[in-house]
């Protein structure tokens, strides 16, 4: 479904991603594990095309020079240079790190904004589904999103991504800063939506423990390079991983 | 081959350039008249065109005689933008200096718009000793400065009406209105700039207060005001029969329109620049019947049968530029100043500034505006008789879309008529 | 526990546009101890720090530092009294080289009076401090613009900036978040050393394992309320904490 | 093989400000040329120019001073849209001193510089807490308001202004005085912005909460920066008053607010040298365009747009970067 | 007198609101402070004038043409210039100001000064409201103002494009992840802002005459209203225009017209000092909390 070949990304002279390759099949949950500044977010931005947008804007400004090499294939089509909004139309949707929501608008409006590319009816239907998936959100429908707690915001962010009806859902550090309990409910929701509507999910995370049980495949990224890959179980059993990524 | 062709073309161009742009090779160097003013404004634009008209006329007749030879006149204009509110005075002064230093004009005409720019420019002009015949800025303060230090500032002359004489005309008109219709309640509205405010104050002091008028209100409006409703409501509430407006900003058109829309039962008599020109009838959709306006100088967008030169000027302007004069302030004196200058140079028989100034002081010319003479403050004397002094014209819009001169009496074409819905008190 | 209280918060409250971010919290910090603050996201931990340093004004309640009320003072005065903090989201001066980042706190009145220093000296002082937190002296790291440094160094820089003020009380806001285990392991001794020097520390942390290694006491926040306060082990056992924070799995 | 353009800095050491590596003649030239060329240029230039272009040079220096003053404020995180305020206050103080009490220019200009700085600082003190665009807007409004106040209350000559100030002894004094001060300001304040004190100021712009967090009272430092900047502006205003022997409402004109910013945008913010360079380009450009008559401002506007769009970082930083770095193509290795 | 003042104060407020709305819309969504706003206002008036007087088009057709033309020009300005300096506030201000300067001075250069440059009122009549004469044009302005505000509200709350506008206004990158093309929306925002200027000009200019120097005044007025209201907030703009509108007319009537400007400028200062982010500015607290 999604294939990344020899991806290299430079920010000016600094190498953010170095020769990264990975494959994602339809219906899988794939985890990208790595510590901070290992290149997870850059990878996510490259997959979603945000980096293209950033590159254009930096160039216009005469700022940092961002260079991308390698290939990103989606359904066997080269989308390396496709703009982010085009990719959204193709079905690749990213939910950025630190629960990206529109703080000034209400929960329902947030979803409506996210449904820019969908018809009203589709939005209504998906919204129904989201509220079933995250019952916690139901009572805040009219509340301004900025006043929700971190976990609720994350739920909303995932819900908003779902409104677009993606085929591939990219989640950048969805568990960041959530309490263990919140983490659990978010993980459950992801598993649930993968099972029920068969969305392909790629998520990145610093701490492997909460996500490893649910992923079909995992990649460990360090300093922009792929160091390990395998199924969730394989990674869980790997002693090195245990040592490095199983902090509390 | 190719190169030599290129070379020839280059040479030809150079030759062409040489012949076209250096007429001085065979003609005597022209006398340069500098026009530093705000060309982007209506008055500036028309003043410049009037100057050009006068220069062309003089050149056609053979130019100006200095010594034994006739020399052509040449206009060098420069936009100093001082009328635009955002432009600092030094910027305008730098423009004047540039003109003086680079084009070496024998004299300057028209000059700055804003009084403060003129006041500041006087020092520069005194420094470079270039006569200036100003025709726009009208605060009497500059005369005061000349009188205080005549030797230093003798290079500055003014041909247009100044605030002092404007008062005289306004007072005269008001006296007329009073004696004819018995009106004696007035509301004064003026722009918040030096000359307008001063005019308003002086009219009140020297005329209204003495002649037994009741000044029911006096408002000054910052340049750029776009709503006059509250003053107009006050006019109505206090029963003023006459509104005396003194404005030269474009937004004053709003005042006229609002006066109209609010159906204020008072006579509009004063100075509002949009009312001066012939196109006002169309601008205000034929709704200015009865409005009385002062055209600051005879010939500035108005002519009288009794002063033939003014008719010639207005007509030849239209012929030359294909457009009627619209500015009620500036064009006639600008046109005249070129003639004054030409005559002074011929009399002085030299281009020496001091000699020209000496001759300018002696000026006595029957021109477009009437008889032109300077007083000791180098201000052209204005009065009621065109044979004795320069005149301005007070005109009234009639219902046929024509302007009738109603004051001063010697050149009046008719009497003031009250517009519909307004009755005389006596 | 009969040590002197260095910081005391009494019934502090904070409202944000109708939302109660901090509800009636009281706690104290004793001299020389390390107080851990834990709680789920959005529970008001960072607000608490902001309230102590008055980056955000109290709605009600009072805060005492060394027995004196400080809640009416502007932030820079409070910091001048000897409280310094790090930010959860690092806030370096991105365009400046790392060691130049240090100059600003070193230029503050407190640092000036305690450490002295003239123009030029401060560079050396900055480099010393940076070495203390683990910037290798002979590498170029300290000379690089802060904007290009990796997270680990930025956190150290943040710590060094707080240290340069010679504080009596340090507030470390999620110092370890975003760091690898190895990095955390290398920073822990620095914190311990600070404790040995007699500096009191409030530490806000998600990384409980590391926190419990050094914390004397822990308070737990949830939805702006304090739900537990006590020794680390006691706190972890309590039902309320388990329900609110750790979930059933932990 | 794929290639990538790499940027390399010409020796961090040579540029880092404090650690000088003056090893070779070339190295020294490399460091000192950018400093001496403008100094010598500015000192010689007046001798070569005619009277009128000397006046233009004076104008250049005045706008450069205003631009420097703007840049100092901007580096401290205060984006002002009202340099006219400083200019105008300075002009009115010296004008009033000279006009009402006959204080000679060599006393009234320094007085205007200091008191202009104090008055402007006091005026802006209440809004020091505003950040970003709100601060800018207040600074835009205050000069407009002062114009109206002078208009309404008729103080200081009202709409007519005060004329007949004592001129400076000669045009050489005028031009060298202003150039001297400009060079002193340029290099002096550049030095200052590089010192520890300047670091604090720049820190406020970069990240004010971090500076508060260092126990520094940012408002006190902002006040100081404001005083420095407004004094520079007030000096420019005071000098212009004596050159043109006039002070009036137009000293608060919008041009004095906008064009310094334009100069900085064109020259490059954050360097002071960029501000000066911008003024050196824009003012003569505006004069050269006088030939176009009414179209002058139109062309001027178009030039501004082209500058800002073509070199968004500003000319000076661009040149500086090119001066300091190489670019080369490197292979992307696997 | 009092009633008359209130009526005209109301009208004045609506005029201010009309003037400020476009500027506010552009800033709220794209973050671009369009300093060419006043120039667009004047430009559209001249366009209408040229259409009527040189091409002899009917009045309403000319108005519609000029609105479309101004909008196209706004879009063009974004695409050619602003796109390249996005995010650098000062460059944006200087670039747009320079564009505005060029447009206004170009008109001046081509001799578009004088009093014949004016637009006729839609209906040249006046009516009496509670004893005060009000011209129909001013009533049309009030109606236009109300319609525009309602239309804007409907647009931003019920259409997907409008919702996208609000999304971009709050968080550009996030909006991007939902397939909302920020450049397209920003182009539209500048363009619609320019369109608002054109609509405002079409209904307001018939009250007076067209002059290039008005362009600067319009810009300052729009800025003043937007700052008091809190940049980017529509409710704030409406409130602020009523505040200034009433302050102006009441100063006019009861204090003296030469204090009008000072009173409104002082109002701005006071509001900013007391409430730094404007009356309806985005709440800072949210920032602090997260």
């Amino acid at each position: 479904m999604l294939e990344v070949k020899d991806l290299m990304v430079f920010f000016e002279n600094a190498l953010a991603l170095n020769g990264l390759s990975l494959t994602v099949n339809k219906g899988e949950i794939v985890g990208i594990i790595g510590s901070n500044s290992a290149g997870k977010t850059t990878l996510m931005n490259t997959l979603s095309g945000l980096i293209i947008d950033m590159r254009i804007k930096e160039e216009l400004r005469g700022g940092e020079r961002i260079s991308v090499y390698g290939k990103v294939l989606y359904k066997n089509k080269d989308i390396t240079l496709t703009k982010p909004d085009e990719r959204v139309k193709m079905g690749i949707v990213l939910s950025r790190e630190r629960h990206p929501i529109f703080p000034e608008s209400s929960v329902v409006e947030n979803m409506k904004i996210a449904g820019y590319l969908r018809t009203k009816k589709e939005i209504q239907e998906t919204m129904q589904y989201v509220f079933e998936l995250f019952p916690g959100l139901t009572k805040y429908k009219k509340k301004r999103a900025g006043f929700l707690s971190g976990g609720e915001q994350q739920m909303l962010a995932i819900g908003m991504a779902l409104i677009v009806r993606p085929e591939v859902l990219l989640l950048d550090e969805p568990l960041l800063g959530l309490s263990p309990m919140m983490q659990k409910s978010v993980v459950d929701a992801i598993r649930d939506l993968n099972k029920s509507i068969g969305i392909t999910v790629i998520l990145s995370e610093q701490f492997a423990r909460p996500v490893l049980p649910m992923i079909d495949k995992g990649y460990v990224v360090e300093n922009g390079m792929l160091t390990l890959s395998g199924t969730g179980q394989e990674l869980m059993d790997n002693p090195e991983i245990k040592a490095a990524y199983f902090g509390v | 081959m190719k190169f030599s062709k290129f070379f020839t073309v280059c040479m030809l161009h150079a030759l062409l350039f040489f012949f076209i742009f250096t007429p001085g090779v065979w003609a005597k160097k022209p006398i340069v008249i500098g026009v530093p003013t705000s060309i982007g404004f209506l008055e500036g634009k028309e003043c410049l065109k009037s100057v050009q008209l006068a220069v062309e006329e003089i050149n056609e007749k053979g130019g100006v005689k200095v010594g034994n030879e006739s020399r052509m006149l040449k206009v060098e204009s420069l936009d100093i933008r001082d009328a635009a509110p955002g432009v600092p005075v030094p910027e305008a002064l730098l423009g004047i200096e540039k003109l003086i230093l680079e084009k070496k004009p024998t004299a300057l005409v028209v000059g700055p718009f804003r009084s403060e720019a003129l006041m500041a420019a006087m020092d520069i002009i005194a420094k470079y000793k270039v006569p200036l015949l100003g025709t726009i800025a009208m605060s009497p303060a500059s005369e005061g400065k000349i009188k205080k230090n005549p030797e230093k500032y003798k290079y500055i002359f003014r041909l247009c009406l100044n605030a002092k004489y404007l008062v005289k005309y306004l007072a005269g008109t008001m006296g007329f209105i009073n004696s004819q219709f018995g009106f004696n309640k007035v509301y004064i509205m003026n722009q918040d700039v030096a000359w307008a405010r001063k005019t308003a104050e002086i009219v009140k002091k020297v005329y209204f207060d003495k002649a037994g008028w009741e000044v029911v209100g006096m408002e000054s409006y910052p340049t750029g005001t776009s709503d006059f409703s509250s003053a107009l409501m006050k006019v109505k509430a206090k029963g003023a029969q006459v509104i005396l407006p003194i404005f030269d900003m474009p937004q004053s058109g709003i005042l006229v329109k609002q006066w109209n829309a609010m159906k204020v039962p008072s006579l509009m008599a004063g100075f509002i620049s949009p009312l001066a020109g012939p196109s006002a009838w169309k601008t205000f959709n034929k709704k200015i019947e009865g409005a009385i306006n002062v055209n600051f100088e005879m010939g500035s967008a108005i002519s009288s049968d009794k002063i033939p030169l003014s008719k010639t000027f207005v007509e030849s302007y239209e012929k030359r530029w294909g457009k009627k004069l619209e500015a009620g302030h500036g064009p006639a004196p600008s046109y005249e100043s070129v003639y004054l200058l030409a005559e002074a140079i011929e009399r002085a028989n030299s281009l020496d500034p001091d000699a020209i100034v000496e001759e300018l002081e002696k000026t006595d010319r029957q021109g477009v505006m009437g008889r032109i003479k300077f007083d000791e403050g180098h201000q052209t004397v204005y009065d009621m008789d065109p044979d004795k002094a320069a005149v301005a014209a007070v005109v009234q819009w009639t219902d046929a879309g024509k302007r009738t001169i109603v004051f001063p009496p010697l050149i009046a074409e008719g009497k003031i008529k009250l517009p519909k819905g307004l009755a005389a008190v006596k | 526990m009969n040590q002197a209280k260095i910081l005391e918060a009494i019934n502090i409250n904070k409202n944000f546009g109708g939302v109660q971010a901090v509800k009636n919290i009281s706690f104290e910090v004793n001299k020389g101890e390390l107080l851990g603050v834990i709680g789920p996201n959005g529970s008001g931990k960072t607000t608490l720090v902001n309230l102590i340093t008055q980056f955000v004004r109290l709605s009600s309640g009072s805060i005492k530092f060394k027995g004196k009320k400080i809640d009416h003072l502007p932030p820079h005065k409070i910091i001048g009294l000897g409280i310094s903090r790090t930010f959860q989201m690092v806030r370096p001066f991105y365009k400046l080289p790392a060691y130049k980042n240090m100059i600003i706190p070193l230029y503050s009145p407190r640092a000036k009076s305690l450490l002295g220093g003239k123009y030029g000296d401060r560079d050396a002082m900055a480099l010393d401090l940076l070495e203390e937190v683990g910037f290798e002296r002979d590498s170029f790291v300290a000379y690089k613009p802060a904007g290009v440094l990796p997270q680990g160094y930025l956190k150290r820089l943040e710590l060094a900036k707080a240290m340069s003020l010679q504080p009596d009380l340090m507030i470390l806001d999620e110092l370890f978040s975003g760091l690898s285990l190895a990095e955390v392991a290398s920073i822990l001794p620095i914190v311990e050393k600070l404790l040995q020097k007699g500096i009191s520390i409030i530490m806000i942390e998600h990384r409980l394992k590391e926190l419990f290694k050094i914390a004397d006491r822990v308070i737990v926040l949830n939805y702006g309320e304090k739900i537990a306060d006590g020794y680390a082990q006691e706190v972890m056992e309590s039902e309320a904490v388990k329900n609110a924070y750790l979930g059933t799995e932990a | 093989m794929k290639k990538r353009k790499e940027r390399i800095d010409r020796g961090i050491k040579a540029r880092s400000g404090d650690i000088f590596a003056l090893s070779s003649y070339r190295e020294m030239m490399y460091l000192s040329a950018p400093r001496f060329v403008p100094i010598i240029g500015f000192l010689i230039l007046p001798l070569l120019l005619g009277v009128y272009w000397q006046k233009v040079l004076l104008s250049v220096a005045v706008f450069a001073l205003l631009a420097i003053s703007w840049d100092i404020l901007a580096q401290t995180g205060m984006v002002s849209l009202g340099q006219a305020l400083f200019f105008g206050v300075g002009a009115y103080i010296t004008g009033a001193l000279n006009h009402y009490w006959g204080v000679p220019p060599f006393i009234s200009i320094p007085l205007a510089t200091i008191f202009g700085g104090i008055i402007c600082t006091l005026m802006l003190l209440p809004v020091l807490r505003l950040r970003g665009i709100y601060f800018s807007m207040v600074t835009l409004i205050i000069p407009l308001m002062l114009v109206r106040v002078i208009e309404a209350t008729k103080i200081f000559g009202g709409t007519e202004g005060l004329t007949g100030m004592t001129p400076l002894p000669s045009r050489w004094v005028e031009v060298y005085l202003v150039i001297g001060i400009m060079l002193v300001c340029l290099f002096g304040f550049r030095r200052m912005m590089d010192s520890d004190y300047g670091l604090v100021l720049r820190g406020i712009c970069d990240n004010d909460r971090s500076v508060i967090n260092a126990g520094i009272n940012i408002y006190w430092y902002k006040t100081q920066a404001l005083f420095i900047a407004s004094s520079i502006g007030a000096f420019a205003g005071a000098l212009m008053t004596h050159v043109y022997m006039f002070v009036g409402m137009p000293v608060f004109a919008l041009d004095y607010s906008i064009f310094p910013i334009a100069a900085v945008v064109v020259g490059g913010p954050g360097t002071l040298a960029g501000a000066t360079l911008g003024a050196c380009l824009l003012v003569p450009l505006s004069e050269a365009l006088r030939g176009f008559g009414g179209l002058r401002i139109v062309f001027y506007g178009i030039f501004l747009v082209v500058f800002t769009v073509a070199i968004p970082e500003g000319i000076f930083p661009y040149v500086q970067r090119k001066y300091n770095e190489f670019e080369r193509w490197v292979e992307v290795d696997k | 007198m009092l009633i008359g003042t209130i009526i005209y104060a109301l009208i004045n407020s609506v005029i201010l609101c009309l003037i400020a709305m476009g500027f506010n819309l552009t800033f709220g969504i794209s973050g671009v402070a369009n300093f060419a706003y006043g120039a667009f206002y004047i430009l559209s008036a001249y366009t209408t004038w040229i259409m009527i007087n040189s091409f002899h088009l009917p009045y309403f057709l000319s108005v519609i043409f000029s609105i479309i033309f101004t909008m196209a020009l706004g879009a063009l300005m974004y695409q050619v210039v602003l796109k390249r300096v996005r995010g650098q506030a000062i460059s944006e201000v200087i670039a747009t100001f320079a564009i505005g300067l060029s447009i206004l001075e170009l008109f001046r250069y081509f001799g578009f000064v004088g009093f014949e440059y004016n637009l006729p009122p839609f209906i040249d009549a006046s009516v009496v409201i509670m004893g005060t004469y009000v011209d129909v044009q001013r009533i049309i302005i009030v109606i236009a103002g109300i319609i525009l505000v309602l239309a804007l509200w409907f647009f931003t709350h019920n259409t997907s494009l409008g919702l996208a506008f609000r999304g971009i206004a709050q968080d550009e990158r996030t909006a991007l992840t939902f397939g909302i093309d920020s450049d397209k929306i920003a182009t539209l925002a500048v363009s619609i802002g320019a369109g608002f200027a054109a609509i405002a000009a079409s209904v307001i200019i018939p009250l007076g005459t067209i002059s290039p120097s008005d362009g600067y005044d319009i810009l300052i007025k729009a800025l003043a209203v937007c700052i008091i209201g809190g940049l980017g907030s529509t409710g704030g703009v409406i409130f602020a225009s009523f505040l200034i509108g009433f302050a102006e007319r009441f100063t006019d009537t009861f204090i003296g017209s030469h204090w009008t400007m000072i009173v409104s400028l002082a109002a701005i200062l006071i509001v900013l000092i007391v409430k730094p982010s404007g009356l309806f500015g985005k709440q800072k607290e949210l920032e602090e909390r997260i």
Side-chain angles (χ1 to χ4, degrees), chain A residues 35-37 64 98-99 140 143 147 149-152 176-182 184 206-207 209 242-248, chain C residues 16-17 19 39-42 88-89 150-151 177-181 206-210 223 242-250:
Chain A
S35 65
N36 225 299
S37 76
E64 263 190 330
R98 300 192 191 284
H99 17 92
Y140 299 126
K143 201 171 169 185
F147 286 129
S149 78
E152 287 151 0
L176 182 70
L178 299 190
S179 68
M181 203 163 81
M182 267 311 177
K184 188 174 174 305
Q206 282 190 48
F207 301 109
R209 183 156 148 182
K242 260 190 183 156
Y245 297 102
F246 269 64
V248 174
Chain C
F16 282 122
V19 177
N41 213 278
Q88 179 188 353
M89 310 277 191
Q151 188 77 5
S177 80
L179 296 187
S180 70
L181 291 179
H206 270 316
R207 307 276 282 263
L208 305 186
K209 214 160 141 194
E210 284 81 6
Y223 287 107
K242 271 188 180 165
N243 286 340
Y245 185 54
L246 299 167
T248 41
E249 252 182 41

Side-chain angles (χ1 to χ4, degrees), chain C residues 1-7 28-35 169 200-201 217:
Chain C
M1 268 210 207
N2 42 14
Q3 289 146 306
K5 287 174 192 161
I6 188 157
L7 186 87
E28 71 255 343
V29 184
N30 298 317
K31 205 163 169 19
E33 81 167 347
L34 191 147
L35 176 73
L169 172 67
S200 322
I201 295 176
R217 253 171 356 109

Side-chain angles (χ1 to χ4, degrees), chain A residues 21 28 78 82 91 97 102 112 144 167 179 185 216:
Chain A
S21 303
E28 276 183 337
D78 187 355
T82 314
E97 59 180 337
F102 302 114
K112 281 186 182 164
R144 271 168 63 185
E167 288 175 57
S179 68
S185 54
D216 298 314

Side-chain angles (χ1 to χ4, degrees), chain D:
Chain D
M1 193 63 219
K2 281 176 245 164
K3 289 199 168 176
R4 183 176 73 81
K5 223 178 190 179
E6 192 187 40
R7 290 176 184 166
I8 298 166
D9 208 291
R10 222 195 234 204
I12 289 177
K13 277 188 176 170
R15 243 191 342 141
S16 65
D18 292 307
I19 311 156
F20 285 102
L22 299 182
S23 48
S24 70
Y25 178 69
R26 272 190 60 167
E27 197 90 315
M28 268 162 77
M29 276 301 291
Y30 161 74
L31 281 171
S32 62
R35 287 164 181 81
F36 285 109
V37 170
I39 294 184
I40 293 166
F42 268 116
L43 292 180
I44 292 177
L45 215 51
L47 303 174
L48 305 175
L49 295 175
V51 182
Y52 164 69
W53 283 99
Q54 260 183 30
K55 278 273 153 64
V56 176
L57 190 64
L58 194 105
S59 212
V60 167
V62 162
F63 275 106
L65 281 171
L66 285 175
I68 288 174
S69 131
W70 187 89
D71 206 5
I72 289 175
L73 275 188
Q75 288 191 45
T76 319
M78 293 179 280
V79 176
S80 142
L81 286 177
Q83 294 315 101
L85 172 67
F86 309 153
F87 187 91
V89 169
Y92 263 106
I93 292 177
T94 192
L97 286 176
N98 188 266
H99 186 264
Y100 294 119
W101 296 290
V103 181
F106 285 107
I107 297 171
S108 72
I109 291 180
L111 280 179
T113 308
I114 292 164
F115 284 100
I118 293 173
I119 289 173
C120 293
T121 311
L122 288 178
M123 242 186 269
L124 289 178
L125 220 47
V127 293
L128 220 51
R129 276 168 196 282
L130 299 187
R131 282 162 155 190
I133 194 148
Y134 295 103
F135 179 85
S136 319
M137 291 306 158
V138 173
T139 51
L140 177 71
I141 286 162
I142 290 182
L144 292 177
M145 191 156 141
L146 283 184
V147 170
R148 298 302 178 186
V149 169
I150 289 173
E151 198 174 40
T153 56
K154 304 177 184 67
I155 46 168
F156 299 124
T159 45
E160 270 164 63
L162 308 170
T163 57
M165 307 294 143
T166 323
L168 291 167
S170 87
R171 61 192 167 94
W172 299 106
V173 176
E174 283 171 9
V175 77
Y176 275 107
L177 179 66
V178 71
I179 283 181
I181 298 277
M182 185 197 79
L183 289 174
V184 167
C185 282
L186 171 60
F187 289 101
F189 288 120
R190 247 178 94 86
R191 180 108 258 216
M192 182 191 85
M193 292 316 277
D194 273 339
S195 73
D196 294 355
Y197 177 77
L199 273 180
V200 174
L201 295 185
R202 273 151 65 193
I204 293 173
C205 171
D206 213 351
N207 203 327
D208 53 355
R209 291 168 130 245
S210 264
V211 180
I212 298 179
N213 197 37
I216 289 174
N217 184 354
I218 59 166
Y219 301 111
W220 174 233
Y221 279 84
K222 276 185 168 185
T223 310
Q224 292 173 9
L226 198 56
F227 174 73
I228 292 171
S230 46
S231 293
I232 299 174
F235 169 79
L239 188 96
M240 271 312 231
T241 300
H242 285 286
V243 171
Y244 282 100
M245 299 163 269
F246 163 79
V247 60
M249 285 172 7
V251 292
F252 291 113
L254 204 58
D255 280 21
Y256 288 124
S257 303
I258 299 290
F259 288 136
I261 307 175
V264 176
V265 168
V266 166
T271 54
L272 300 188
T276 317
L277 183 68
C280 291
L281 284 174
L282 286 187
V283 177
L285 175 75
S286 137
E287 287 306 319
L289 286 174
R290 270 191 205 272
F292 287 103
L295 274 181
R296 168 182 166 220
I297 302 297
V298 178
F299 280 119
Y300 191 70
I302 292 169
F303 271 112
L304 268 185
V305 174
V306 170
F307 272 132
T308 39
V309 170
I311 315 178
E313 59 183 325
I315 295 172
F316 185 78
Y318 180 80
V319 172
Q320 194 183 30
R321 218 182 60 210
K322 292 284 158 201
Y323 189 74
N324 283 322
E325 79 182 10
F326 307 105
E327 278 196 348
R328 67 171 183 203
W329 289 95
V330 290
E331 283 185 354
V332 177
D333 43 354
K334 285 267 274 183

Side-chain angles (χ1 to χ4, degrees), chain B residues 129-166:
Chain B
K129 301 195 195 322
V130 184
L132 165 78
L133 291 88
T135 64
I136 302 266
M138 52 189 293
S139 160
S142 64
E143 291 154 55
K145 205 167 161 182
I146 296 171
K147 279 182 198 160
K148 240 191 245 163
N149 196 346
E151 193 44 43
K152 186 174 171 196
Y153 296 120
K154 67 178 178 187
Y155 305 96
I156 292 108
F157 293 83
R158 173 159 50 210
L159 271 92
C160 63
L161 197 73
N162 72 357
K164 212 171 73 194
Y165 290 116
L166 176 60

